[in-house]
Amino acid sequence: MADSSTCSSASSCDRESCEGCPSANGGQPQSMLEEMNAYSDIKHVIGIVSGKGGVGKSMVTASLANLLASKGYRVGIMDADITGPSIPRMYGLTGLAEASEEGIFPRLTENDIKVMSINLLLPNPEDPVIWRGPILAGLVKQFWHDVIWGELDYLLVDMPPGTGDVPLTVFQSLPVDGIFVVTSPQDLVKMIVKKAYRMADTMHIPVLGLIENYSYLVCPDCGKEIPVFGKSRIQEVADEMGILVAGKMPIDPKLTELSDAGEFAKAENPYLEAAYAALQILSVKD
């Protein structure tokens, strides 16, 4: 039974145990953070989120990972989009991840980025993952405490779109330092971005910036920027919410070709320097 000598609300408490009770911990709720694998040492966990699908979130994640790796940082990607994984295919990673008694080893890309994804655990990566939310959330936790990430400066978590079980699990279970919200230049952008922003704010996760994908297409003949999906509204949304525009990525057929060929390790994306600068602020605080 609850110990009335330590619980201020003992007279009205019907708990069998004080475990998890805010009153038993100085009024603070018990931490839900998962324990990191004993052979991992990760300095910063960064979430890449979107309010809706189809905005190129994995492209942004991989591009930012490549940029960090090119600057000499030790980088990992946790592909938390369990039902729609794409990171291994982008980097040409095939076959199963190896494991030992200590845990599971992530696969390594050609540019030394460590990757873990459900597709590296399935015998056939084309098999659908037909699991309910709690099982998906449990796998994300396993990617944290069962995977031997080693020493990383940044672990980028590529999350599924929306505000469902997996993003909630990442925010509650991993020590997320901040997130980037990926969007596209469409009329619904303000509402969709606000949903993701408010979820992060509710979970006390800092929003490091907004990244707009598909901002424009550069005409191969005249070099003119063509707003294929309409006029960009990212700056006005960012100003209203008081956050940074961390990048505006154009439609770049070369990135798509490298992704489809499994050669994304060769991709260079010069449009995320503001996002990189935002991450440098975290490093300065170390």
Side-chain angles (χ1 to χ4, degrees):
M1 294 291 292
D3 184 356
S4 59
S5 66
T6 59
C7 181
S8 60
S9 59
S11 60
S12 59
C13 179
D14 59 359
R15 292 174 179 266
E16 293 296 326
S17 169
C18 288
E19 184 179 359
C21 176
S23 296
N25 191 30
Q28 298 298 319
Q30 186 178 27
S31 173
M32 298 178 67
L33 290 177
E34 290 287 315
E35 186 175 351
M36 188 189 305
N37 184 279
Y39 298 93
S40 298
D41 182 9
I42 301 171
K43 290 184 179 180
H44 298 293
V45 179
I46 307 297
I48 313 297
V49 309
S50 64
K52 64 182 293 293
V55 297
K57 174 177 47 57
S58 295
M59 182 77 73
V60 170
T61 302
S63 295
L64 186 56
N66 282 5
L67 177 59
L68 288 167
S70 71
K71 304 284 189 180
Y73 289 98
R74 299 163 297 183
V75 186
I77 299 177
M78 179 192 292
D79 190 355
D81 193 350
I82 309 300
T83 59
S86 57
I87 295 295
R89 172 65 186 272
M90 294 175 67
Y91 286 100
L93 299 176
T94 59
L96 297 176
E98 296 182 357
S100 70
E101 293 182 358
E102 287 75 26
I104 305 170
F105 296 97
R107 296 290 303 279
L108 200 62
T109 68
E110 291 184 6
N111 56 340
D112 295 329
I113 295 171
K114 295 179 179 180
V115 173
M116 179 47 60
S117 169
I118 184 62
N119 269 11
L120 300 175
L121 301 176
L122 296 173
N124 182 3
E126 295 183 356
D127 286 343
V129 177
I130 310 175
W131 297 342
R132 294 189 183 276
I135 300 177
L136 299 176
L139 183 61
V140 170
K141 293 180 182 180
Q142 285 186 279
F143 282 173
W144 178 251
H145 59 65
D146 287 353
V147 173
I148 303 172
W149 290 102
E151 295 185 359
L152 292 180
D153 296 304
Y154 295 99
L155 176 66
L156 306 184
V157 184
D158 183 14
M159 292 196 234
T163 55
D165 285 335
V166 171
L168 179 61
T169 297
V170 171
F171 288 164
Q172 290 182 326
S173 304
L174 276 60
V176 180
D177 292 286
I179 66 169
F180 289 107
V181 179
V182 182
T183 185
S184 57
Q186 296 169 323
D187 288 339
L188 293 175
V189 63
K190 182 179 293 187
M191 179 187 72
I192 292 168
V193 167
K194 281 187 174 181
K195 284 180 180 292
Y197 174 83
R198 286 173 179 169
M199 179 182 185
D201 186 57
T202 300
M203 305 299 295
H204 307 293
I205 303 295
V207 177
L208 302 176
L210 305 182
I211 297 176
E212 184 179 73
N213 199 16
Y214 311 137
S215 291
Y216 53 88
L217 174 68
V218 178
C219 176
D221 296 323
C222 67
K224 180 180 179 181
E225 295 182 1
I226 305 171
V228 178
F229 293 105
K231 180 182 177 181
S232 172
R233 293 174 172 79
I234 193 72
Q235 191 63 60
E236 63 184 69
V237 173
D239 290 343
E240 180 179 332
M241 297 166 63
I243 52 183
L244 170 75
V245 174
K248 295 179 67 175
M249 292 173 49
I251 300 172
D252 189 342
K254 293 181 180 178
L255 295 181
T256 303
E257 291 171 5
L258 289 172
S259 177
D260 291 343
E263 298 178 350
F264 205 79
K266 301 176 182 178
E268 296 181 1
N269 193 328
Y271 306 99
L272 294 175
E273 287 295 335
Y276 173 72
L279 293 178
Q280 295 308 289
I281 296 176
L282 294 178
S283 296
V284 170
K285 294 179 180 179
D286 289 344

